Amino acid sequence: MKRNYLVILALITVFALLGGAVTAQDLTIEYQYDITGTARTNYLTFTGPIRYMAVEKDHFDGRTGASVQTSTEKFQPYRYDVKGRNALPDTLRGLFLFAVAESAQPKIDNLTVDKDRSGVITIQYVHRGTAYRLVTDSSGRINLPNGTFQKRSIGFISGNNPQVISTDFSRNGQANGVDWDKVWSTGVAGGKTIPGSDKKTGNIVSDGADPASMFYWDGSLQVDFRGNELKINGGLNAVKR
């Protein structure tokens, strides 16, 4: 109860700040991640206007199985408004979590990052049966609120199997067999029952701030991808609707 109360107070602080002048970089992000999950240099840093809701170079703690600075909890006031409506794409939030997760997570979630000749970077992964895709512009920027963020239900989690994926999208029914072209094809219909369950696949949906949210984030984050290292840096402004 005390923890929930703290989060509510933090969210109220956000709206108090939104009521006044909005300055640049209300929320700053610094992220570094080796997509193999094995590097010890992985971290997430974010700073914002809410007291006690910021972290510096948070990372996974193998002893506790959680992040060292509890960034997962501390980031929540920047993710939702006071009524629990998304102010930030789930796709982006999920990507940040890799930096504070166990080393096996990118393999479990089939995290893939590709950069084409034009400079566009595409990031894809599937977590708990939902596929996510983020696409930058040709300068490697993630633009909010109108960037390319998509998600689609393609499976579910079951017992000791981290993810069961519909064979409509995976050659072997697992995350490591996902065919991303099929996932993001409108020609592959959703609404089909996944064999062995009562779960159904979904259609492609845009993943952004809830249109009814009290505020949203505006700005851009710069992405850099070299070798296996993914970096994201930049600042966003909170905009009241």
Side-chain angles (χ1 to χ4, degrees):
M1 178 65 74
K2 183 177 180 182
R3 180 180 296 176
N4 292 337
Y5 191 65
L6 177 62
V7 172
I8 291 172
L9 288 175
L11 289 167
I12 291 172
T13 303
V14 168
F15 288 106
L17 290 165
L18 286 171
V22 176
T23 58
Q25 299 188 345
D26 292 326
L27 174 64
T28 61
I29 300 291
E30 184 178 338
Y31 174 90
Q32 181 171 297
Y33 189 66
D34 183 307
I35 63 172
T36 66
T38 59
R40 294 185 178 182
T41 55
N42 298 333
Y43 67 84
L44 170 66
T45 292
F46 61 86
T47 60
I50 307 172
R51 193 177 184 185
Y52 305 128
M53 297 295 175
V55 301
E56 182 175 353
K57 292 195 173 182
D58 199 11
H59 58 277
F60 181 72
D61 184 353
R63 181 179 61 83
T64 64
S67 63
V68 172
Q69 299 184 52
T70 64
S71 62
T72 301
E73 176 185 338
K74 291 178 180 177
F75 196 80
Q76 297 298 76
Y78 302 107
R79 183 183 179 189
Y80 299 116
D81 71 8
V82 294
K83 293 188 176 182
R85 292 177 293 211
N86 275 28
L88 189 82
D90 290 334
T91 303
L92 189 57
R93 174 56 179 147
L95 178 60
F96 291 156
L97 289 176
F98 280 102
V100 295
E102 61 177 323
S103 60
Q105 203 63 48
K107 183 176 180 180
I108 293 172
D109 290 352
N110 193 13
L111 173 65
T112 61
V113 183
D114 297 293
K115 183 176 182 179
D116 68 19
R117 292 183 178 180
S118 71
V120 172
I121 299 171
T122 300
I123 302 170
Q124 302 172 103
Y125 61 93
V126 54
H127 183 67
R128 298 178 70 87
T130 299
Y132 298 90
R133 177 167 71 167
L134 177 164
V135 183
T136 74
D137 64 15
S138 59
S139 297
R141 289 188 297 263
I142 299 171
N143 297 304
L144 293 166
N146 299 316
T148 301
F149 305 94
Q150 296 171 302
K151 60 184 179 181
R152 185 176 198 176
S153 178
I154 63 172
F156 62 96
I157 57 173
S158 175
N160 294 327
N161 190 341
Q163 302 192 72
V164 177
I165 307 300
S166 167
T167 52
D168 281 354
F169 306 105
S170 171
R171 66 177 184 275
N172 58 4
Q174 298 178 18
N176 62 10
V178 165
D179 183 329
W180 295 115
D181 288 337
K182 291 182 178 178
V183 171
W184 307 117
S185 170
T186 55
V188 182
K192 296 183 180 179
T193 300
I194 302 173
S197 75
D198 59 353
K199 308 295 184 181
K200 292 186 177 182
T201 60
N203 293 318
I204 302 167
V205 296
S206 178
D207 176 33
D210 188 323
S213 64
M214 296 178 181
F215 74 100
Y216 62 90
W217 295 104
D218 179 75
S220 65
L221 302 173
Q222 184 65 50
V223 181
D224 183 58
F225 182 59
R226 300 180 186 181
N228 291 319
E229 190 172 75
L230 178 66
K231 292 184 178 181
I232 302 175
N233 295 279
L236 304 173
N237 293 330
V239 179
K240 185 176 180 180
R241 293 192 188 277

